[in-house]
Amino acid sequence: DSENVLVYTRACGSETLLVIANKSTECTSVTLPPEICTEGAKRLLTNKKNTTPSIQGGRAMMPFEVEVYELTR
């Protein structure tokens, strides 16, 4: 939805990673398609401490926040 948010997936074999990056100096809400927001998504990496995973909804991404998730198929 926003020019300031970069969202993409990478797959190799049976593994799929989802990367979400807020490139803005402002907090930004991210809405992902329901098929991506699975309960099996596991956050592997973030550059912001003490945050809940944004993929669960209800939380805007902080400025320059990046998250990497492993998605289940």
Side-chain angles (χ1 to χ4, degrees):
D1 296 326
S2 171
E3 293 179 5
N4 294 321
V5 178
L6 179 66
V7 179
Y8 63 93
T9 59
R10 288 292 181 257
C12 181
S14 63
E15 293 184 339
T16 301
L17 298 180
L18 168 69
V19 178
I20 308 171
N22 178 10
K23 305 183 301 178
S24 172
T25 59
E26 304 289 328
C27 288
T28 303
S29 294
V30 178
T31 303
L32 299 173
E35 60 270 15
I36 290 180
C37 301
T38 64
E39 290 182 18
K42 177 183 175 185
R43 186 167 71 174
L44 301 176
L45 183 67
T46 182
N47 64 333
K48 301 293 184 180
K49 293 182 179 181
N50 303 320
T51 59
T52 59
S54 67
I55 199 170
Q56 294 174 349
R59 179 178 79 79
M61 292 190 75
M62 296 169 63
F64 303 111
E65 181 175 2
V66 178
E67 296 179 305
V68 178
Y69 292 88
E70 180 179 26
L71 302 179
T72 58
R73 293 187 197 196

